[in-house]
Amino acid sequence: MTDVAPAHDAQVDASGLNCPLPLLKAKLELNRLPSGAVLKVIATDAGSQRDFRAFARLAGHTLLREEEEAGVFRYWLQKA
């Protein structure tokens, strides 16, 4: 595994928002993107880890990478 974050086509900053808003903002942005595009999401809600893992699995998207540093969570989702 590489330490280089994947390139992304769009980004959503959901910092300071609580569940379910980070996931909702990500879903809205994914709806605008073409299949195969990568969305980077930034969140500060610890519950977002569980939410994004489950969302990717259930919706068929690929969670390419997730990071956590000092209470900031970053996710790279590739749209199905």
Side-chain angles (χ1 to χ4, degrees), residues 3-80:
D3 283 338
V4 176
H8 56 279
D9 301 293
Q11 179 173 306
V12 167
D13 187 350
S15 299
L17 300 177
N18 292 322
C19 179
L21 292 176
L23 187 58
L24 180 59
K25 288 181 69 106
K27 286 173 70 173
L28 290 172
E29 187 61 32
L30 279 171
N31 287 340
R32 291 189 263 272
L33 295 173
S35 182
V38 176
L39 174 65
K40 178 182 177 182
V41 181
I42 302 168
T44 51
D45 180 10
S48 66
Q49 285 185 305
R50 177 191 65 246
D51 293 346
F52 277 96
R53 290 173 186 161
F55 170 66
R57 185 177 66 251
L58 294 171
H61 304 307
T62 303
L63 184 58
L64 297 173
R65 183 180 175 109
E66 61 179 287
E67 300 175 349
E68 186 272 328
E69 183 180 338
V72 177
F73 302 87
R74 293 176 200 82
Y75 308 96
W76 286 262
L77 287 163
Q78 185 171 36
K79 184 174 178 176

